[in-house]
Amino acid sequence: EAQVTQNPRYLITVTGKKLTVTCSQNMNHEYMSWYRQDPGLGLRQIYYSMNVEVTDKGDVPEGYKVSRKEKRNFPLILESPSPNQTSLYFCASSFQGTGNGYTFGSGTRLTVV
Amino acid sequence: EDQVTQSPEALRLQEGESSSLNCSYTVSGLRGLFWYRQDPGKGPEFLFTLYSAGEEKEKERLKATLTKKESFLHITAPKPEDSATYLCAVQASNTGKLIFGQGTTLQVKP
């Protein structure tokens, strides 16, 4: 089954404790992206990657890091999480960056206390 | 500035009561306009892509249309299972970035 898999689904952590949210896709998509979704603000892009070893900032990159060492994986790293990073996070992938059929993961609900 | 505005924010319908959701956009060169459905606690699910004014796409009770400034998602004779948040997004041809609206939350009562 074609899918984007995120882990974990739920995470509660403390301020300053480094964490990684994993994202993997099995569709051989070049393009992968991370979004956060907050009430009243909608989906906002954090980082995206057009291909292996190519990443770029989205609209809200502060406090986040990403890497793309393999085509299928695109982890999101929070080096020192803060409470304002409490949010619902989605990873998405698509063929060559077209919006035509972005496939989203099921989401990671992160709470930073 | 590229932006997407959806209205209304929330819509309550009786089963069988047809209606439309609006997506207004401003973008410097439209590469495509996309509709997604999002159920609570889940990731958005792709519905339609529209590329040029006058284009229409249909899927079951849903029909999406596009003009130069807005798109409509028409829902004909909705059922309770159509209840969800519907997201509109545009992709700018110069940046390739996907910009989402805030969504319309639809509730269909039996």
Side-chain angles (χ1 to χ4, degrees):
Chain A
E1 180 188 355
Q3 61 184 2
V4 175
T5 303
Q6 290 179 233
N7 281 297
R9 287 293 312 275
Y10 302 93
L11 179 60
I12 301 175
T13 190
V14 296
T15 300
K17 185 177 181 181
K18 181 179 178 179
L19 66 91
T20 300
V21 183
T22 64
C23 174
S24 180
Q25 52 94 2
N26 63 1
M27 295 163 284
N28 203 35
H29 284 164
E30 290 88 358
Y31 185 93
M32 298 185 74
S33 181
W34 276 102
Y35 291 85
R36 61 178 290 174
Q37 188 173 37
D38 302 289
L41 297 176
L43 279 162
R44 294 179 294 167
Q45 191 179 51
I46 303 171
Y47 268 95
Y48 66 95
S49 170
M50 297 294 288
N51 214 324
V52 176
E53 301 292 358
V54 180
T55 63
D56 209 346
K57 297 177 181 179
D59 296 315
V60 288
E62 295 77 21
Y64 304 95
K65 286 177 58 177
V66 293
S67 67
R68 187 89 182 274
K69 297 179 181 177
E70 303 169 283
K71 196 172 187 179
R72 64 183 293 125
N73 296 323
F74 191 46
L76 179 69
I77 304 158
L78 285 72
E79 294 270 3
S80 182
S82 62
N84 64 11
Q85 293 178 297
T86 292
S87 186
L88 180 58
Y89 292 86
F90 289 103
C91 180
S93 73
S94 75
F95 177 65
Q96 292 184 344
T98 64
N100 187 19
Y102 265 39
T103 301
F104 283 82
S106 298
T108 296
R109 185 166 292 281
L110 172 65
T111 303
V112 184
V113 298
Chain B
E1 181 185 352
D2 299 335
Q3 65 179 16
V4 178
T5 303
Q6 291 186 247
S7 62
E9 288 186 16
L11 181 62
R12 288 185 180 182
L13 300 173
Q14 288 296 129
E15 184 171 3
E17 180 186 3
S18 301
S19 187
S20 296
L21 282 55
N22 177 264
C23 171
S24 298
Y25 65 91
T26 54
V27 65
S28 50
L30 180 68
R31 185 172 175 182
L33 184 142
F34 313 96
W35 283 97
Y36 288 83
R37 169 188 170 132
Q38 185 176 22
D39 293 301
K42 295 187 176 181
E45 179 183 341
F46 172 74
L47 291 173
F48 301 111
T49 305
L50 300 166
Y51 292 107
S52 58
E55 190 173 359
E56 298 181 352
K57 293 280 180 69
E58 283 189 70
K59 181 179 181 179
E60 297 181 355
R61 295 176 292 283
L62 300 177
K63 179 180 178 180
T65 61
L66 181 64
T67 71
K68 287 187 177 180
K69 292 186 178 181
E70 57 191 350
S71 176
F72 293 94
L73 185 65
H74 307 278
I75 303 176
T76 302
K79 298 182 178 181
E81 53 261 43
D82 294 322
S83 297
T85 296
Y86 290 86
L87 299 171
C88 172
V90 297
Q91 190 170 31
S93 55
N94 56 344
T95 65
K97 186 189 296 186
L98 205 62
I99 303 159
F100 283 87
Q102 294 191 18
T104 294
T105 299
L106 172 67
Q107 183 181 27
V108 181
K109 294 189 173 183

